Amino acid sequence: AAGVIQSPRHLIKEKRETATLKCYPIPRHDTVYWYQQGPGQDPQFLISFYEKMQSDKGSIPDRFSAQQFSDYHSELNMSSLELGDSALYFCASSLGQGLVNEQYFGPGTRLTVT
Amino acid sequence: QKEVEQNSGPLSVPEGAIASLNCTYSDRGSQSFFWYRQYSGKSPELIMFIYSNGDKEDGRFTAQLNKASQYVSLLIRDSQPSDSATYLCAVANSGNTPLVFGKGTRLSVIA
């Protein structure tokens, strides 16, 4: 079965640079979530989109922005990168209807800021 | 502040034994509960979800939910070394709301 696709898988940036992470949800899934996971930490929710509209916002810095496009893929834009932004960034997708919406995670993008 | 609590472990069990993983949550409005398995450096993999009180079985895995006690557990029968991973408990209010994760329990299955 098709899974969530994320690109790139690895990214190395310098401080103050910008980065763009991409996420392609499972076909027919209409909801995308972004999570950040630091070393030894649990995933922390950043932001989500349902049917191309922002649905929830978590601990996303103002330096970050995201959107969901007409084909349901999503991009996370990160500017003025800081050393503390080094983490695994996961995208998850779900079919946003019903009481229980299982979220399936992509393989993640490992961002290293030097 | 919604909180999900798990014992960080490590929890060590011999191969073939039952591993019992526990999780408590603070938000009584939570309606759906998930268990994810995460290998080091990899993404969380959904094992099971549950939303009704009681037990739900899927192969070697059984999830248990007690909303009155705000308690969720995961039992892994016939544990295998390949089950060694971090198990994340996650809760959501309803529908397509974000997950709140616990810090995970590290399980080690000894051959």
Side-chain angles (χ1 to χ4, degrees):
Chain A
V4 177
I5 297 172
Q6 290 187 247
S7 67
R9 296 291 308 278
H10 301 273
L11 193 57
I12 300 175
K13 291 286 185 178
E14 295 186 355
K15 283 195 308 183
R16 293 179 288 277
E17 285 191 321
T18 62
T20 297
L21 279 54
K22 297 184 178 182
C23 169
Y24 298 85
I26 292 171
R28 294 187 301 281
H29 279 193
D30 51 18
T31 307
V32 167
Y33 312 80
W34 287 97
Y35 293 88
Q36 177 193 58
Q37 187 174 29
Q41 302 296 314
D42 53 290
Q44 294 292 314
F45 170 69
L46 294 178
I47 195 167
S48 62
F49 296 87
Y50 169 62
E51 283 290 346
K52 292 153 280 184
M53 299 287 290
Q54 181 183 308
S55 56
D56 280 286
K57 194 170 183 180
S59 52
I60 184 170
D62 292 340
R63 300 177 287 109
F64 294 5
S65 65
Q67 57 182 322
Q68 185 178 32
F69 295 86
S70 58
D71 64 351
Y72 294 99
H73 95 272
S74 178
E75 295 184 3
L76 178 66
N77 298 295
M78 312 162 71
S79 63
S80 302
L81 287 169
E82 302 174 355
L83 295 178
D85 297 328
S86 296
L88 271 169
Y89 290 83
F90 293 110
C91 169
S93 74
S94 71
L95 187 57
Q97 300 175 28
L99 173 63
V100 180
N101 298 321
E102 306 105 271
Q103 294 184 25
Y104 295 92
F105 282 70
T109 294
R110 182 176 294 280
L111 173 66
T112 302
V113 181
T114 62
Chain B
Q1 179 79 1
K2 302 174 186 177
E3 292 184 347
V4 179
E5 300 286 340
Q6 294 182 256
N7 188 322
S8 62
L11 172 65
S12 295
V13 299
E15 183 176 359
I18 296 175
S20 178
L21 305 163
N22 305 314
C23 169
T24 59
Y25 59 95
S26 63
D27 183 7
R28 285 195 174 274
S30 301
Q31 295 195 27
S32 49
F33 308 86
F34 304 83
W35 284 100
Y36 285 84
R37 177 174 62 195
Q38 187 174 30
Y39 296 108
S40 180
K42 303 296 185 182
S43 62
E45 173 192 0
L46 181 63
I47 298 174
M48 291 191 69
F49 68 88
I50 187 169
Y51 58 90
S52 298
N53 277 326
D55 295 359
K56 180 181 178 183
E57 186 175 321
D58 184 359
R60 296 187 297 114
F61 301 96
T62 299
Q64 299 173 317
L65 174 62
N66 184 323
K67 289 186 177 180
S69 301
Q70 295 175 245
Y71 175 88
V72 193
S73 66
L74 178 71
L75 300 177
I76 307 175
R77 288 180 299 281
D78 189 22
S79 296
Q80 301 297 309
S82 59
D83 294 327
S84 299
T86 295
Y87 288 79
L88 297 164
C89 173
V91 306
N93 281 359
S94 65
N96 54 348
T97 55
L99 298 172
V100 178
F101 284 90
K103 295 198 179 301
T105 297
R106 192 154 47 94
L107 173 66
S108 178
V109 181
I110 311 300

